[in-house]
Amino acid sequence: GENVEQHPSTLSVQEGDSAVIKCTYSDSASNYFPWYKQELGKGPQLIIDIRSNVGEKKDQRIAVTLNKTAKHFSLHITETQPEDSAVYFCAASIVGNQFYFGTGTSLTVIP
Amino acid sequence: NAGVTQTPKFRILKIGQSMTLQCTQDMNHNYMYWYRQDPGMGLKLIYYSVGAGITDKGEVPNGYNVSRSTTEDFPLRLELAAPSQTSVYFCASSSRGGRVSDTQYFGPGTRLTVL
């Protein structure tokens, strides 16, 4: 099956700085890559996703980039705020099939 | 819409006891999932269902059972609880009905401890 690796496991940034989280996947057939944010005591919530037919997608301060050749994708958060502090998970799937999740990145934004 | 709801939020079981984790969604989604989340690990798929009456195993199904008698409900059953089943359990749902949409919506989770 698919194997998704995520780095780093923890990340601390100063408020206003950027944060980057990277994931790699093993199955070249994967074509859907969502990112989830999980706040303490809550379930994961989708924040952005990208399909394999595009290389980049932006939504305000959040962007995701995808490199199909290298089989990696990244989450970029600009102008970080304390409320961005959470655990972030990447996932990969073939549309219509199960998700494979990374192990998560605990992001702390220091005011 | 309440989205995906799960009960209970917390539970402590003794080894060998049984329990059912409840999951309900009000979005008329046909796909539903059960995941477990262990510390420092990602979510692992236990079971999933593509519609009422249809269920299938995920990555880690041993020790669990599911049923799907209605579109809304997808309970997860633990028959003989073991310490290895101590985890946080998440239910999720998504809509697929000829129109591709892979967004999964998660419930708030059930924290289960087996002693």
Side-chain angles (χ1 to χ4, degrees):
Chain A
E2 172 70 277
N3 181 45
V4 178
E5 295 188 356
Q6 183 172 347
H7 300 279
S9 57
T10 60
L11 179 61
S12 292
V13 300
Q14 291 292 134
E15 182 177 357
D17 287 350
S18 295
V20 180
I21 303 170
K22 299 182 179 181
C23 288
T24 61
Y25 61 99
S26 61
D27 190 342
S28 57
S30 289
N31 55 12
Y32 177 65
F33 308 92
W35 285 90
Y36 285 83
K37 177 183 180 182
Q38 185 177 23
E39 297 177 335
L40 196 62
K42 297 184 178 180
Q45 183 174 14
L46 179 76
I47 55 171
I48 195 167
D49 58 8
I50 192 168
R51 299 185 186 274
S52 59
N53 58 347
V54 298
E56 183 176 5
K57 184 176 179 180
K58 287 183 179 179
D59 183 2
Q60 299 181 343
R61 297 185 297 108
I62 294 173
V64 56
T65 58
L66 171 65
N67 184 326
K68 288 169 52 181
T69 302
K71 289 189 282 189
H72 68 70
F73 56 111
S74 300
L75 177 71
H76 304 253
I77 306 174
T78 59
E79 300 173 14
T80 54
Q81 301 167 4
E83 51 265 38
D84 294 329
S85 295
V87 178
Y88 292 82
F89 290 96
C90 63
S93 78
I94 301 169
V95 168
N97 290 292
Q98 71 176 72
F99 283 18
Y100 293 88
F101 285 86
T103 51
T105 296
S106 177
L107 173 65
T108 301
V109 179
I110 304 166
Chain B
N1 279 357
V4 180
T5 57
Q6 292 182 238
T7 57
K9 290 187 177 180
F10 305 94
R11 185 72 186 268
I12 298 175
L13 283 182
K14 293 182 179 178
I15 294 172
Q17 286 187 321
S18 300
M19 78 163 293
T20 299
L21 283 66
Q22 302 290 346
C23 175
T24 300
Q25 54 91 10
D26 61 0
M27 297 174 282
N28 201 31
H29 285 169
N30 45 356
Y31 278 58
M32 296 187 75
Y33 314 81
W34 274 107
Y35 293 90
R36 61 177 287 170
Q37 183 179 38
D38 299 318
M41 304 293 290
L43 295 119
K44 298 291 186 182
L45 184 65
I46 305 171
Y47 270 95
Y48 68 99
S49 169
V50 302
I54 306 171
T55 63
D56 208 346
K57 296 178 180 179
E59 292 180 82
V60 290
N62 291 345
Y64 307 95
N65 279 299
V66 294
S67 60
R68 183 95 181 269
S69 57
T70 67
T71 299
E72 296 79 18
D73 301 308
F74 190 41
L76 178 71
R77 178 82 177 163
L78 283 72
E79 290 294 348
L80 292 170
S84 61
Q85 293 178 305
T86 294
S87 189
V88 181
Y89 291 84
F90 289 101
C91 180
S93 71
S94 67
S95 173
R96 306 239 178 107
R99 178 174 60 88
V100 173
S101 173
D102 278 295
T103 301
Q104 292 192 14
Y105 297 87
F106 285 81
T110 294
R111 184 175 295 274
L112 175 67
T113 302
V114 181
L115 300 174

